[in-house]
Amino acid sequence: MEIQNKAMLITYADSLGKNLKDVHQVLKEDIGDAIGGVHLLPFFPSTGDRGFAPADYTRVDAAFGDWADVEALGEEYYLMFDFMINHISRESVMYQDFKKNHDDSKYKDFFIRWEKFWAKAGENRPTQADVDLIYKRKDKAPTQEITFDDGTTENLWNTFGEEQIDIDVNSAIAKEFIKTTLEDMVKHGANLIRLDAFAYAVKKVDTNDFFVEPEIWDTLNEVREILTPLKAEILPEIHEHYSIPKKINDHGYFTYDFALPMTTLYTLYSGKTNQLAKWLKMSPMKQFTTLDTHDGIGVVDARDILTDDEIDYASEQLYKVGANVKKTYSSASYNNLDIYQINSTYYSALGNDDAAYLLSRVFQVFAPGIPQIYYVGLLAGENDIALLESTKEGRNINRHYYTREEVKSEVKRPVVANLLKLLSWRNESPAFDLAGSITVDTPTGTTIVVTRQDENGQNKAVLTADAANKTFEIVENGQTVMSSDDLTQN
């Protein structure tokens, strides 16, 4: 199935029920036509990071089901899979063979061997300055020691968790692995491949080893050359200043709108619409919009869309207004990997306020691009403090495990029912043509008018909203589709 201009659900295989069969059943019985695509977060055997330390891409984790379950979803929804191009698990065949056979292993060049990497740069490298230059996720050099079966040791590049060992994407053996894995994903129904942590994949001496140009474009182009004949697209994942996703978009790739979440929170906290209007005018059409994902709410992504003072204000308001949100949940004490993300559900970030939450989703629907909505957000879920505290994992505040019975109850809540109605309408409305246009006006400091029109100018959808009062009205071709009154009438 080709990518459709319809909202995409982001979910783990065991978060809406127990497995992939349950996910499929939830979509058919409880969600209906509000969702047209599914981003299945990593469902492969994995040794950490909730699936993002894949050990074997050739199998579905048996706890979730099998390839037949994945392919059945692909018959009805366009699908996105994750490919962790930067790293793979220590339990992978590659790592285990290298550990056993050392330089006699066929995978001896599969990983980035720290000492060999720096030896090519000259004697006495790396210096402390070299290590300090690296864009790190840790407070030390990004390395992990490997002890081979022959008793010798060396270090491998290790950007993220201890289970996630970095791959040398420029080696012949890694290129072969990338090609066969991507081809297999498409065979099993992937229409879109999310390249997780791709900006870290290229390492080069005398750089910060993050989004290294021009080499990063070579890597992306190699992936594109594999997928284009298979009619599959790439969605590179990167949390950074919006100028970097813009570069990627200018090269013809889909990108994420990670600036929208914080910009929308600022708008609803302050009641001011000027910055949201500015961002909507700047945003590209070939993108997937987000308010929430399996990670935290990004802060750095909105830099220079919001001023530093506005980002600080929005961050502080999130802790003040947000329900059960504490700064400590986004700290090292709760294993937070990124100090530039805040851990909370989007609904709780808005104080569990139905009116504010529905308006946030209305803004997302009218933004350029295709909406992605995280499963917790689809059900307007509150922060899961019990899961957070039982795991001491900050991001688990936004990773509630819903039973089938919970889902059936949640979809009856007025805020969820109206959200599903909104998405169903958006999926079928021709006004949201990605080849069409968007115009944005701010009649007053607290109001915004967003008009979406198809390429031929035959269909028009107009949003009129007041961010201070949390009110809105949507009109399509002269007919009212939905308004904030609908929420109070339920």
Side-chain angles (χ1 to χ4, degrees):
M1 182 181 294
E2 292 185 359
I3 296 171
Q4 301 176 52
N5 184 14
K6 294 184 177 182
M8 171 178 271
L9 171 71
I10 308 169
T11 187
Y12 292 99
D14 60 347
S15 291
L16 294 171
K18 296 179 180 179
N19 51 41
L20 289 165
K21 282 187 171 66
D22 281 355
V23 170
H24 201 166
Q25 191 175 21
V26 163
L27 284 166
K28 289 168 66 174
E29 295 182 6
D30 305 308
I31 306 303
D33 56 8
I35 292 298
V38 181
H39 172 195
L40 279 177
L41 291 163
F43 50 85
F44 313 100
S46 172
T47 56
D49 197 14
R50 192 72 188 270
F52 284 87
D56 184 358
Y57 282 104
T58 68
R59 296 184 293 121
V60 175
D61 188 317
F64 305 147
D66 55 28
W67 281 119
D69 296 317
V70 174
E71 292 166 9
L73 269 174
E75 292 294 319
E76 299 181 56
Y77 307 93
Y78 71 96
L79 298 181
M80 180 159 73
F81 299 170
D82 288 279
F83 180 58
M84 279 53 80
I85 194 168
N86 179 73
H87 53 262
I88 200 163
S89 169
R90 292 189 300 186
E91 293 301 314
S92 64
V93 168
M94 299 81 168
Y95 186 94
Q96 292 300 315
D97 189 275
F98 182 44
K99 181 177 181 297
K100 178 181 179 181
N101 298 307
H102 203 173
D103 282 325
D104 291 328
S105 170
K106 66 180 288 189
Y107 298 108
K108 62 184 175 66
D109 297 322
F110 190 84
F111 301 99
I112 302 175
R113 300 167 72 167
W114 181 261
E115 286 84 5
K116 288 194 173 187
F117 176 90
W118 289 106
K120 294 177 182 177
E123 294 184 6
N124 302 317
R125 303 286 293 272
T127 63
Q128 187 58 50
D130 289 327
V131 174
D132 291 343
L133 182 60
I134 299 170
Y135 189 105
K136 293 182 289 295
R137 300 292 291 265
K138 306 175 179 181
D139 58 2
K140 63 181 184 64
T143 64
Q144 183 178 139
E145 187 176 80
I146 180 172
T147 301
F148 298 99
D149 286 7
D150 62 15
T152 61
T153 64
E154 61 178 87
N155 287 290
L156 301 180
W157 204 298
N158 174 215
T159 299
F160 296 98
E162 63 179 16
E163 289 293 331
Q164 298 156 300
I165 309 301
D166 290 27
I167 297 169
D168 183 352
V169 295
N170 291 315
S171 67
I173 190 69
K175 288 178 187 288
E176 178 186 342
F177 160 74
I178 291 168
K179 185 174 189 296
T180 56
T181 301
L182 293 175
E183 289 174 342
D184 195 52
M185 285 182 167
V186 176
K187 184 182 75 174
H188 289 300
N191 311 106
L192 193 64
I193 305 295
R194 177 184 184 270
L195 289 185
D196 178 72
F198 88 98
Y200 295 89
V202 174
K203 278 78 169 178
K204 185 179 179 182
V205 172
D206 297 326
T207 75
N208 69 352
D209 302 298
F210 183 85
F211 200 76
V212 177
E213 298 181 273
E215 288 81 1
I216 195 68
W217 300 112
D218 296 335
T219 299
L220 281 175
N221 287 336
E222 287 172 6
V223 173
R224 176 186 262 172
E225 287 171 6
I226 295 166
L227 293 176
T228 296
L230 305 176
K231 298 183 179 179
E233 292 265 10
I234 308 166
L235 179 56
E237 180 263 346
I238 184 170
H239 279 282
E240 247 302 332
H241 191 276
Y242 74 88
S243 59
I244 296 183
K246 184 181 186 304
K247 280 186 181 183
I248 298 167
N249 197 270
D250 288 345
H251 278 73
Y253 296 95
F254 271 104
T255 48
Y256 275 110
D257 182 356
F258 286 140
L260 186 63
M262 185 58 76
T263 304
T264 299
L265 286 180
Y266 170 78
T267 301
L268 293 171
Y269 291 152
S270 70
K272 300 175 183 178
T273 55
N274 58 320
Q275 301 295 45
L276 176 63
K278 178 178 72 175
W279 178 236
L280 294 180
K281 291 175 185 177
M282 294 169 59
S283 295
M285 284 289 183
K286 190 171 182 178
Q287 66 172 357
F288 284 90
T289 65
T290 67
L291 291 182
D292 47 3
T293 69
H294 63 286
D295 287 329
I297 298 169
V299 176
V300 68
D301 310 86
R303 198 174 69 240
D304 293 333
I305 302 300
L306 303 177
T307 65
D308 289 346
D309 286 344
E310 288 168 340
I311 288 175
D312 289 343
Y313 166 81
S315 299
E316 290 302 317
Q317 286 296 109
L318 201 162
Y319 291 116
K320 180 180 177 181
V321 174
N324 298 314
V325 184
K326 297 179 181 179
K327 290 185 179 180
T328 186
Y329 297 157
S330 299
S331 70
S333 61
Y334 282 82
N335 197 31
N336 192 51
L337 293 176
D338 191 340
I339 61 172
Y340 300 112
Q341 292 187 350
I342 299 174
N343 294 319
S344 173
T345 74
Y346 212 77
Y347 183 65
S348 285
L350 288 167
N352 299 344
D353 183 318
D354 288 0
Y357 186 68
L358 189 59
L359 182 52
S360 75
R361 293 299 177 183
V362 169
F363 287 149
Q364 181 185 11
V365 158
F366 271 81
I370 302 173
Q372 276 191 342
I373 183 162
Y374 185 55
Y375 76 98
V376 177
L378 188 67
L379 299 175
E382 299 181 20
N383 284 335
D384 190 335
I385 303 301
L387 180 62
L388 169 82
E389 292 294 357
S390 67
T391 61
K392 296 298 180 183
E393 169 64 53
R395 290 175 297 175
N396 281 347
I397 199 171
N398 188 28
R399 296 179 178 181
H400 181 70
Y401 292 87
Y402 287 91
T403 65
R404 290 286 290 108
E405 291 73 24
E406 279 183 292
V407 173
K408 287 189 177 299
S409 175
E410 293 300 299
V411 296
K412 294 176 183 176
R413 292 165 56 206
V415 65
V416 177
N418 278 290
L419 175 54
L420 296 179
K421 176 184 173 184
L422 173 71
L423 294 172
S424 296
W425 166 74
R426 157 64 179 80
N427 288 344
E428 299 302 324
S429 173
F432 294 90
D433 180 1
L434 296 185
S437 63
I438 180 172
T439 57
V440 185
D441 298 297
T442 49
T444 71
T446 67
T447 58
I448 188 168
V449 178
V450 185
T451 302
R452 293 290 302 268
Q453 198 162 2
D454 63 3
E455 186 177 21
N456 297 323
Q458 300 299 308
N459 297 278
K460 185 194 309 185
V462 181
L463 165 66
T464 304
D466 189 315
N469 297 327
K470 313 299 184 287
T471 57
F472 70 89
E473 182 181 31
I474 297 172
V475 176
E476 181 183 35
N477 297 333
Q479 299 294 316
T480 298
V481 174
M482 179 182 285
S483 75
S484 47
D485 292 339
D486 294 333
L487 193 61
T488 58
Q489 291 170 2
N490 278 278

